[in-house]
Amino acid sequence: KQLVKTLYRETEKYLDQEVELSGWVRKIRSQKNFGFIELNDGSFFKGVQIVFDTNLPNFDEISRLSISSSIIVKGIVVKSQGAGQNFEIQAKEIEIFQKADLDYPLQNKRHSFEFLRTIAHLRPRTNTFSAVFRVRSVLAYAIHKFFQENGFVYTHTPIITGSDCEGAGEMFRVTTLDLNDVPKTEEGKVDVTKDFFGKETNLTVSGQLNGETYCSAFRNIYTFGPTFRAEQSNTSRHAAEFWMIEPEIAFADLEGNMELAEAMVKYIIKYVMDECLEEMEFFNQFIEKGLFDKLNNVLNNDFGRVTYTEAIDILVNSGKKFDYPVEWGIDLQSEHERFLSEEYFKRPVFVTDYPKEIKAFYMKLNKDGKTVRAMDLLAPGIGEIIGGSQREDNIDVLEERMAEAGLSADDYGFYLDLRRFGSFPHSGYGLGFERMIMYVTGITNIRDVIPFPRTPNNAEF
Ligand code: 4AD
Ligand code: MG
């Protein structure tokens, strides 16, 4: 039994040979004595043309096949006269496995992405989504390949956690308590000791704190797993469930962190461009005109670098009117990030050394006492795709920062231990996997790069 992909890649070898293919009818048209089926077998972005004629005993039945019917075809690979393909299959036998119901929603016309989201279970069968989700798979592999080739240890961090890494309080509670009859303490609060874990637990927002502990054992580690944020931001770039890649590197400062991030981004873009030729051609033609120019520009140039303070100056001096006024101390808004990466640097840019007030407690405090060794990578069209930092390695400073953030030392004892038993300079970052897919494919809504997206008021499928 053969796969369509093999026939495309090794056409010469299969010419005049008999093959057996199985898959789904994508298109069909027939005349009195012959007809054509475009068969999609899932192995390749393109389908293959099957030619059938009245020599087949079930010709009439085949002619009436509905779109998406499943069939098994035996036939000969022959050179094709048709434009756009080198070969086709002259059918000798077509077995119909199931005739699809006639109300199949994906008839051959253009559908809006909004509509396709309502049939997320069927949309991977379309050209666009078949390309997106194959790229998603290849990109995941490229990321593992990059880190494994560089000696990083893949670390699985827990999904259910008792700590809040980002300290932003945007967590999904995990509980087995009966919400209609919650046990209360004498003070009238929820008695979390009666809960499954005997304490309050949540879905993780980041594997970083656990990752740091393994960094102190293996030097260089990375995580790659799902993370969850109960942010009420209904935007095209936020999902409640998304995947994050979080490397953590020992004896490395922010500079080393940025070098790693830049090398990784370039490696995975190149890998996908090489391995997903057909899909990337499709995106370049139909989803983002100029995608190849954009990506080649990324590969061939150094990323921009600017401190937060310099970035504020650039924004103030740009003379541009922003909806959200710019002044030192603000958290950069999407419009500011876009201006910096799209109009000013015209390429991905690292913004570093943010005010400590707008960043997480674990980031290393700079000598100025006001800023921290943070770095965000802003990409044109997307905004922040990476957030990272050098970590605070001084236990006194860290304890102070935790107290400021209202975190109890009891919950983070394991984290403080790293600063007691061989503290070391270390850095890391989180890459938002979906945002990276959006950047590489040109897809503009995060809902269209996640098989079954989870966003506010939407947990279908
Ligand atoms: O900047 P963030 O919050 O950083 C962290 O979580 C750190 N603990 C990472 C680290 O240093 N190890 O998130 C990292 C990245 C963002 O840059 C963004 O790409 C993505 O995760 N991200 C989201 N992606 C989709 N939907 C959301 N709601 C996201 N929130 C963050
Ligand atoms: Mg961030």
Side-chain angles (χ1 to χ4, degrees):
K1 288 176 194 168
Q2 282 75 30
L3 293 173
V4 169
K5 179 169 186 174
T6 322
L7 301 188
Y8 268 97
R9 295 285 189 246
E10 302 170 55
T11 311
E12 288 302 316
K13 184 173 144 194
Y14 284 97
L15 273 184
D16 304 324
Q17 305 286 312
E18 181 169 325
V19 295
E20 182 180 323
L21 299 169
S22 48
W24 299 268
V25 174
R26 236 202 200 162
K27 285 182 190 159
I28 179 160
R29 64 197 154 91
S30 57
Q31 298 182 353
K32 204 155 173 287
N33 300 317
F34 63 94
F36 302 98
I37 290 173
E38 186 187 317
L39 180 81
N40 171 36
D41 83 340
S43 70
F44 193 54
F45 183 58
K46 293 180 183 166
V48 66
Q49 172 149 291
I50 313 285
V51 188
F52 61 98
D53 58 29
T54 42
N55 287 325
L56 303 186
N58 54 351
F59 175 81
D60 289 338
E61 217 189 340
I62 299 168
S63 299
R64 289 193 304 269
L65 272 178
S66 46
I67 294 187
S68 170
S69 294
S70 42
I71 58 174
I72 298 152
V73 181
K74 288 193 181 127
I76 310 289
V77 181
V78 295
K79 276 220 153 69
S80 170
Q81 284 88 25
Q85 70 216 23
N86 304 324
F87 70 96
E88 60 194 19
I89 311 295
Q90 182 67 52
K92 288 175 70 179
E93 199 185 310
I94 297 184
E95 182 195 325
I96 300 169
F97 189 82
Q98 194 244 334
K99 280 184 227 163
D101 287 4
L102 291 175
D103 57 350
Y104 182 59
L106 294 173
Q107 299 298 328
N108 286 313
K109 64 177 184 108
R110 271 189 186 276
H111 298 285
S112 72
F113 286 1
E114 286 79 9
F115 168 69
L116 292 172
R117 275 175 221 147
T118 69
I119 49 166
H121 58 309
L122 300 175
R123 69 178 177 168
R125 304 176 182 197
T126 64
N127 276 329
T128 303
F129 290 94
S130 124
V132 167
F133 293 114
R134 199 182 304 276
V135 163
R136 184 174 170 117
S137 165
V138 171
L139 201 59
Y141 180 68
I143 288 166
H144 280 295
K145 200 162 149 41
F146 173 81
F147 284 114
Q148 296 282 340
E149 280 174 0
N150 286 293
F152 284 62
V153 170
Y154 180 29
T155 303
H156 293 130
T157 53
I159 307 279
I160 299 175
T161 167
S163 50
D164 179 0
C165 174
E166 295 306 296
E170 291 169 331
M171 301 197 292
F172 287 100
R173 186 77 171 260
V174 175
T175 180
T176 53
L177 294 179
D178 177 357
L179 293 183
N180 295 311
D181 185 17
V182 184
K184 296 271 171 72
T185 61
E186 276 168 18
E187 298 93 71
K189 294 202 173 130
V190 178
D191 185 358
V192 289
T193 63
K194 299 268 171 15
D195 207 343
F196 187 90
F197 295 102
K199 62 181 289 195
E200 181 181 330
T201 51
N202 294 285
L203 294 178
T204 188
V205 295
S206 158
Q208 178 194 323
L209 303 186
N210 301 84
E212 277 185 55
T213 71
Y214 270 53
C215 174
S216 78
F218 293 105
R219 189 175 191 96
N220 293 335
I221 65 100
Y222 70 106
T223 73
F224 191 160
T227 47
F228 307 85
R229 299 207 182 168
E231 286 172 284
Q232 273 304 335
S233 27
N234 224 328
T235 79
S236 58
R237 306 181 305 137
H238 290 88
E241 176 176 322
F242 62 99
W243 285 58
M244 195 152 51
I245 295 92
E246 296 184 274
E248 194 68 34
I249 48 180
F251 296 96
D253 59 11
L254 196 68
E255 182 58 35
N257 208 18
M258 288 190 282
E259 275 168 24
L260 178 69
E262 183 165 341
M264 177 203 69
V265 168
K266 287 180 173 172
Y267 179 97
I268 62 184
I269 288 178
K270 173 132 197 341
Y271 190 85
V272 169
M273 288 178 86
D274 290 346
E275 297 297 316
C276 297
L277 290 176
E278 288 77 12
E279 287 84 357
M280 293 303 289
E281 287 279 3
F282 176 84
F283 293 131
N284 190 48
Q285 201 177 341
F286 297 109
I287 302 291
E288 180 179 345
K289 299 242 158 27
L291 178 69
F292 284 166
D293 292 339
K294 174 184 92 176
L295 295 177
N296 283 320
N297 184 42
V298 173
L299 295 181
N300 297 324
N301 290 291
D302 290 340
F303 292 0
R305 292 187 187 200
V306 67
T307 65
Y308 169 90
T309 303
E310 290 163 352
I312 292 292
D313 284 345
I314 292 171
L315 292 166
V316 167
N317 296 330
S318 69
K320 229 183 132 87
K321 253 212 113 13
F322 294 104
D323 292 335
Y324 193 98
V326 180
E327 60 174 338
W328 200 94
I330 63 158
D331 203 356
L332 295 182
Q333 305 296 307
S334 168
E335 53 176 338
H336 309 134
E337 296 182 343
R338 296 190 70 144
F339 176 82
L340 289 169
S341 61
E342 283 161 35
E343 294 182 45
Y344 193 84
F345 286 94
K346 297 189 169 64
R347 61 190 202 275
V349 54
F350 287 110
V351 180
T352 62
D353 303 286
Y354 285 73
K356 67 174 183 177
E357 284 77 15
I358 57 171
K359 288 292 181 188
F361 73 95
Y362 51 71
M363 298 188 181
K364 189 172 175 62
L365 193 63
N366 276 317
K367 293 220 171 62
D368 62 14
K370 291 195 307 193
T371 59
V372 287
R373 298 249 71 195
M375 64 164 210
D376 278 4
L377 180 65
L378 312 181
I382 310 279
E384 178 189 336
I385 59 172
I386 285 179
S389 64
Q390 183 168 345
R391 318 307 189 189
E392 185 54 73
D393 46 48
N394 178 305
I395 189 157
D396 298 328
V397 179
L398 184 60
E399 279 176 337
E400 210 167 295
R401 294 271 287 140
M402 283 173 60
E404 279 168 20
L407 302 173
S408 103
D410 289 347
D411 290 341
Y412 295 84
F414 74 95
Y415 192 65
L416 291 168
D417 272 358
L418 301 181
R419 280 74 184 168
R420 303 200 298 127
F421 306 132
S423 192
F424 57 111
H426 60 292
S427 302
Y429 60 82
L431 166 70
F433 186 48
E434 284 75 15
R435 293 199 186 161
M436 190 69 214
I437 302 170
M438 291 165 72
Y439 192 55
V440 172
T441 59
I443 296 282
T444 53
N445 195 311
I446 197 164
R447 291 165 184 75
D448 297 328
V449 299
I450 303 178
F452 301 103
R454 299 287 176 253
T455 49
N457 295 317
N458 177 32
E460 294 301 313
F461 304 98

